[in-house]
Structure formats: C-alpha cells, structure tokens
C-alpha cells in the first residue's frame, strides 16, 4: 500500500470552506477504500498570511510542497491585500509555486454533468473536452519582467521554446490516449489552438506541435486559430476532445469552458509536471461570499479527484485511480439528483450540505462503475 503525502493549502476567502468540505469527502473515500492512505498536512499560505506576517509562501511550506506527492490548493488572494507596489499577492505566489514544482501542463476538464446548468439551449451529444494550457511560458513568461518606457509604451514578451511546446504537446497526446475521444464521434483528437497566421512564436508552437503529432499516428491532430476556437466552443463544443495551447490563450479559453458547463464552482484543474502535481479549483477566492457557508465546493472536490487519478497514473496504482472515479461519480450523483446544490448553480444549500451529500454518495458509489 502506498501512503501519499498531500500538502493542503486552503488559502483565502472561500478557500478554507471549500477545502474543509473536500477534506470531509477525502476522509470518507479513504475510510471506504482499503489500500488507500492519504497523509494530509494543511499549511497557511496566501494573502491572509501576508497580512499577518509579511510572507505569502514561507520557505518551509514551499519545501514541503516540493517534498509532497501532490499539492491540493483551494484559492489564494484578497483584493485588499497588496504588496507595497500595489500588485496582488496571488500571481506572485502562484507563479513561484508553479516554477518551483515545474508543472508545465495545466489541465482544465470541461465536462457537462447531468443536472449541471448549461447556458446552451442545445447540448448535442454532450460536452466533454479538456483544455491543456502550457503553464510556464507564453505571455506569462514575462511575469515579473516586461518593460515600461517612460509614460507612453509598455511591452511584455511572449516566449515559446521547443522544449516547453514539445512537453505540453506530448502531455496532450498522452492524455488523449487515456480518454474516450470527442463526444460527436468518439474519435481521439488533439487540436492545437494558436494564432499561427499572425505571430512567429505561435507559428513555431504549431510547427513543434505537429512534430510531436508524428509520434502519435493513432490519434488525430489538427490546428484551429484561437479566435475561431472561441466561436466553435460555443457553437459545437462536442466536436473537441483535447485542446493544447499557449499559456494566455489557455487562461482565457478555460474560463469560457467553465462558463459552458455550470460556472466556476464546477471547474476543476490540475497543473502537472514530470515529478509534481498541483490541483486547485479554477475559481478565485470570491471574497463577497467568503465565510458564509455559501461557496460551491464541487470544483475543489473534482480537483481532488483529478489528484487521485494523477497519483494513481504516476504510481501505477489502480486503487487510487478507482478512488478518483468514485469521488467524481459521487459529485456527479449529487449534481444529478439536484436536491443539494449551492446558490451559484441554482440551489439554496450550504457548502457543508454539499460536503455531507457527497460524502454520503461515496458510500453508495463503492460498487458503482466509473462515470460515463
Ligand atoms: P480571481 O481573480 O482570484 O480568479 P475572480 O474575481 O476572477 O477571482 P472569483 O473569485 O473566482 O473570480 O469569483 C467570481 C464570482 O464567481 C464570485 O464573486 C462568486 O460570485 C462566483 N464564484 C466563484 N467561485 C465560486 C464558488 N466556488 N461558489 C460559488 N460562487 C463562486
């Protein structure tokens, strides 16, 4: 039996509530799964900590994150807590953590669960695609750099390297291999999303992507410009399976994706490298509703399911992979039943109601098949 060491960073705003709810369901899944052991340690990090101590991510916490098998983070940052230069603490902390863990591929599943509210009138054969965002380069490589010339001109540089593009593309093809293909016809596909017609850097991204595609002839590959893709994702999202793109494009399209399938409260994410995985909901700290037991914890729970799946894949551990599927099924069951849902998805239930409902549903997913 493998013991997994998990660093928990509950963070700020609604982060701690979502993390508590997720902890309840993780404790339940461990209790129900012989052969799964999670050693979870919670650390303070983020804006509140900065306000109290002047530090956002203490050295020892960063070192423990690097030493852990995985990191589960809830949400970081508060708009009124800023560094002396006026910037928020969240970007600096997150970029630092990503760089330290070398998590090169951000994975944002966009899946419409039965019972989740959808803004589209027609959902065709269903929505189930994944956005893979290159996580360390692109326009975000300029973070902390950039240049301002006098009061008239400012620039940031978009960086694309062969190594960075190859590894995120390889990651995308490997993920496509494990999936069931696009909903419209079951074909496994990886689509490069770029602006290769305008920018040399993004033409290079496409060129490297197709070099990698040659190693995966069993999986279809194509390329679509980012502007066209934002249209297609609204008109025919079921025609896509895995999308891979530059950092800033991924940042934007993944929020569009979350908007298609019920909003930020249902959007999980994982940031994955060769040796580390960092998992967190795609929402922020939503300070307006913080501390009121109103936040939807499902995105954090689904991120925890992604974490278990990644740990299982990484360590060749079918027990963790099965636990991941059961946790996702439990969330899906509660959504489909529709009795317990938070305000953001049209209900009146509290964060803790959802925790109880999902924990109870885990009991009855023990013998269930993985979700479709
Ligand atoms: P950030 O810049 O940190 O990503 P943001 O201001 O873009 O944050 P969020 O803090 O994620 O966005 O939230 C925007 C709004 O979405 C919130 O005010 C809240 O109404 C809603 N929201 C986000 N996450 C949740 C959640 N888990 N449960 C309920 N509502 C949420």
């Amino acid at each position: 039996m493998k013991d997994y060491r998990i660093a928990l960073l509950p963070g700020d705003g609604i982060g701690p509530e979502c993390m508590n709810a997720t902890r309840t369901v993780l404790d339940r899944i461990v209790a129900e799964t012989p052969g799964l052991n999670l050693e979870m340690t919670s650390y303070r990090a983020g804006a509140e900590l900065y306000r109290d101590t002047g530090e956002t991510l203490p050295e020892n916490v960063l070192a423990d994150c690097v030493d852990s098998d995985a990191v589960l983070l809830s949400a970081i940052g508060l708009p009124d807590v800023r560094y002396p230069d006026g910037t928020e603490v969240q970007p600096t902390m997150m970029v630092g953590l990503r760089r330290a863990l070398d998590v090169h591929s951000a994975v944002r599943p966009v899946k419409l669960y039965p019972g989740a509210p959808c803004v589209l009138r027609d959902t065709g054969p269903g929505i189930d695609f994944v956005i893979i965002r290159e996580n360390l380069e692109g326009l975000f490589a300029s973070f902390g750099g950039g240049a301002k010339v006098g009061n008239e001109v400012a620039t940031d540089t978009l960086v694309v390297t062969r190594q960075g593009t190859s590894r995120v593309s390889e990651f995308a093809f490997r993920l496509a291999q494990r999936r069931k293909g696009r909903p419209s016809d079951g074909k496994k596909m990886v689509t490069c999303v770029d602006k290769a017609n305008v920018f040399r850097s993004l033409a290079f991204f496409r060129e490297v992507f197709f070099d990698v595609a040659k190693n995966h002839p069993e999986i279809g590959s194509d390329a679509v410009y980012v502007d066209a893709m934002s249209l297609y994702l609204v008109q025919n999202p079921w025609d896509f399976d895995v999308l891979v793109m530059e950092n800033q494009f991924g940042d934007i399209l993944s929020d569009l994706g979350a908007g298609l399938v019920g909003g930020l409260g249902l959007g999980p994410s994982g940031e994955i490298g060769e040796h580390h995985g960092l998992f967190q909901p795609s929402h922020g700290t939503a300070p307006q509703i913080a501390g009121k037991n109103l936040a939807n914890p499902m995105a954090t729970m689904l991120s925890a399911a992604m974490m278990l799946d990644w740990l299982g894949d990484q360590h060749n551990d079918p027990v963790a992979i099965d636990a991941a599927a059961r946790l996702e099924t439990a969330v899906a069951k509660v959504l489909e039943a529709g009795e317990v849902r938070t305000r953001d998805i049209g209900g009146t239930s509290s964060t803790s109601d959802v925790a109880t409902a999902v924990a109870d549903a885990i009991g009855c997913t023990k013998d269930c098949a993985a979700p479709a």
Side-chain angles (χ1 to χ4, degrees), residues 246-259:
E246 178 273 333
N247 207 331
Q248 169 83 342
F249 290 166
D251 187 32
I252 297 168
L253 285 192
S254 49
D255 269 26
L256 188 156

Side-chain angles (χ1 to χ4, degrees), residues 175-215:
L175 184 78
Q177 193 66 65
R178 290 185 74 206
R179 286 172 49 84
K180 287 183 305 193
R182 57 189 178 193
S184 54
D185 61 4
K187 185 168 168 45
K188 292 179 194 275
M189 282 292 296
V190 181
T191 303
C192 174
V193 181
D194 58 47
K195 195 73 184 164
N197 52 337
V198 177
F199 297 106
R200 199 169 273 178
S201 55
L202 297 172
F204 181 59
F205 190 97
R206 182 182 286 205
E207 181 189 319
V208 175
F209 166 80
F210 279 119
D211 284 347
V212 172
K214 287 184 202 137
N215 305 329

